[in-house]
Amino acid sequence: MNLLRSKTGRILLVTILYLTEGAPIGFIWWAMPTLLRQQNVAIESITSLTAILILPWIFKFIWAPLVDSLRNEKRGYKFWIFISQLFMGLALVPLIFVSPQNNFFLWGLFLFIHSFAAATQDVSIDALVINVIAKNERGKLNGFMNAGMLIGRSLFGGGTLILAYELGLNYLLGLIAVIIFFVMLILVLVKEPALPIKSKNQFETFKQNISIAFKSKNTWLAILFALTSAAAFEVAGGLAGPFLTDLKISQETIGVFFALPVVLAMFVGGLIGGYISDKVNRKSAVRMFLSGFVVTIIIISVYNFVEPLIDDVIFLSTYTAMYFFVGLFTSSSYALFMDLTNPKIGGTQFSTYMAATNGCEGWTVWSAGFIVAGYGYSPAFILMCVVSLLSLLVLRKIELA
């Protein structure tokens, strides 16, 4: 049996693989900031720690060429996925027996190793998908990839907040490790297609493709778009936990919010966005969905500035609408980046685009932390909305084949 042979098999494969990507992201990006803010940790400290832990996703393009250039018939993308998942799980095992309160540096170190392995897995999965998925299927597959990641985020982001005091963080991280090891078994059902390049000069050919790609104006425009387009929702989402906490919304409510409404909104949005972007002009879909999440964030900012003590349901409902547009935008924009990627260097070029999207989160959340500390949440959100809208000027210059 080979899951890559059928559309249903490919959907199942990418959904499960991306679940293992979403689990650590859910904890690091959703649960951890909220838990720290509940303990009155300063916003600047929370955003700085988050920025450090996402560095592997930002700089994964540096080692991504190894995934493309060193593979052969015996060690394809599946091999890299297996090795990455192995280290993802092993890095979490020591944390089961170590208290974060007394060994914060050790926790940070092993979480960083875990993040490095997870980012490498991301490179390998994306490269595999680009090489085996037809162009007219990319939007839909990105929708299911997003769905798998959201399931992981839901279980270990919102779920962590709900169960943190019941089970303890150590056991929850142990559960993540068990799931990762279990998911590794699915690779037995994956048989990669023959290599597109079979020559003694494979590395030289790879270098030539890299040179061509990164001399292209389109490549650099895509990188700039990835670095700026998501600025508004990266900040509004990255600071959602602390923001809602400062509105005096309970941790349990925030946990349920992240576990259910957020995930469902992004899940549905991702599937719809992927489908629409496969049927219409990709750039038009991306432009429309970006405008949608900007509008919802402006509404959140105005609510907070004019009357921050309005009913909690208003904020949570508007945030849910934002995440729906985020789902639409994510699946369509990732399909756009795949369209701009040469499959022969898929691991390197697409990972560079993905690293730029993570870089967007890193620089925006880090800088927003200082803006919030000095001026409040609304100015930070509005400023990042301006950045996202300006990125549409870059999108306009990108040329699709």
Side-chain angles (χ1 to χ4, degrees):
M1 181 178 181
N2 182 9
L3 292 177
L4 292 176
R5 287 188 180 275
S6 68
K7 181 181 294 186
T8 301
R10 291 190 292 272
I11 289 174
L12 177 64
L13 177 64
V14 299
T15 301
I16 293 176
L17 288 178
Y18 268 77
L19 185 150
T20 63
E21 278 289 318
I25 292 173
F27 175 73
I28 292 172
W29 293 355
W30 286 4
M32 187 182 67
T34 305
L35 291 170
L36 292 178
R37 189 56 179 163
Q38 288 284 347
Q39 299 173 28
N40 297 316
V41 176
I43 289 291
E44 312 94 278
S45 300
I46 295 173
T47 53
S48 295
L49 177 59
T50 303
I52 291 173
L53 290 178
I54 67 173
L55 286 177
W57 279 282
I58 297 174
F59 292 105
K60 62 185 178 181
F61 69 91
I62 295 175
W63 61 90
L66 294 175
V67 176
D68 281 321
S69 62
L70 297 183
R71 68 191 179 97
N72 53 42
E73 281 78 3
K74 294 183 179 180
R75 294 191 305 272
Y77 293 126
K78 185 173 75 170
F79 169 81
W80 285 98
I81 295 171
F82 176 85
I83 293 298
S84 300
Q85 290 181 338
L86 179 63
F87 278 93
M88 285 170 64
L90 291 176
L92 295 179
V93 172
L95 302 184
I96 300 173
F97 310 100
V98 177
S99 169
Q101 288 83 3
N102 301 323
N103 300 276
F104 189 75
F105 174 79
L106 196 61
W107 262 63
L109 175 62
F110 279 103
L111 283 177
F112 189 84
I113 295 172
H114 174 80
S115 298
F116 182 90
T120 305
Q121 178 198 230
D122 201 3
V123 171
S124 309
I125 294 173
D126 291 337
L128 177 65
V129 169
I130 289 170
N131 276 274
V132 302
I133 304 302
K135 183 177 180 179
N136 62 358
E137 204 177 36
R138 288 172 182 167
K140 182 182 293 185
L141 261 293
N142 270 285
F144 282 99
M145 289 158 64
N146 189 45
M149 183 172 289
L150 288 171
I151 293 171
R153 288 190 182 191
S154 174
L155 292 174
F156 298 97
T160 295
L161 293 175
I162 296 171
L163 300 175
Y165 295 110
E166 297 289 335
L167 301 179
L169 293 178
N170 304 70
Y171 290 105
L172 287 171
L173 288 174
L175 181 59
I176 296 177
V178 170
I179 291 176
I180 291 172
F181 291 138
F182 180 77
V183 168
M184 290 170 65
L185 298 175
I186 200 174
L187 295 175
V188 176
L189 303 178
V190 177
K191 185 177 181 180
E192 293 183 59
L195 285 171
I197 302 174
K198 293 183 179 180
S199 71
K200 295 181 180 179
N201 298 320
Q202 181 170 325
F203 186 68
E204 287 299 319
T205 305
F206 169 78
K207 289 197 298 183
Q208 291 174 10
N209 287 324
I210 284 286
S211 178
I212 293 172
F214 285 91
K215 286 181 180 178
S216 167
K217 179 182 178 181
N218 240 20
T219 298
W220 292 104
L221 287 172
I223 292 173
L224 180 58
F225 182 71
L227 278 169
T228 55
S229 58
F233 83 72
E234 294 291 13
V235 168
L239 295 179
F243 174 66
L244 296 175
T245 297
D246 287 346
L247 290 175
K248 309 304 180 185
I249 298 176
S250 70
Q251 179 176 309
E252 292 76 14
T253 299
I254 297 173
V256 171
F257 172 66
F258 279 136
L260 295 176
V262 169
V263 172
L264 288 174
M266 291 186 69
F267 178 86
V268 174
L271 295 181
I272 294 175
Y275 177 82
I276 292 176
S277 72
D278 279 341
K279 300 297 182 181
V280 303
N281 180 276
R282 194 89 73 188
K283 288 171 57 177
S284 297
V286 170
R287 185 183 304 111
M288 178 173 57
F289 301 150
L290 183 151
S291 301
F293 70 68
V294 165
V295 169
T296 59
I297 294 169
I298 291 175
I299 293 174
I300 291 171
S301 303
V302 172
Y303 279 157
N304 181 59
F305 182 78
V306 175
E307 184 55 72
L309 296 180
I310 62 176
D311 193 272
D312 297 347
V313 175
I314 299 296
F315 282 107
L316 296 177
S317 299
T318 312
Y319 251 112
T320 301
M322 181 203 79
Y323 279 111
F324 173 72
F325 280 104
V326 169
L328 292 168
F329 175 80
T330 300
S331 58
S332 58
S333 62
Y334 282 19
L336 172 70
F337 293 133
M338 285 187 175
D339 292 343
L340 297 170
T341 299
N342 177 356
K344 295 179 180 179
I345 53 172
T348 302
Q349 191 174 8
F350 188 76
S351 291
T352 301
Y353 298 148
M354 293 299 96
T357 64
N358 293 317
C360 179
E361 174 164 13
W363 80 261
T364 56
V365 172
W366 178 79
S367 58
F370 293 97
I371 298 173
V372 170
Y375 304 98
Y377 288 99
S378 292
F381 291 177
I382 292 294
L383 178 61
M384 295 305 166
C385 284
V386 173
V387 174
S388 289
L389 290 175
L390 289 175
S391 74
L392 293 177
L393 299 176
V394 179
L395 177 64
R396 184 177 181 181
K397 295 184 177 181
I398 294 176
E399 298 177 358
L400 291 177

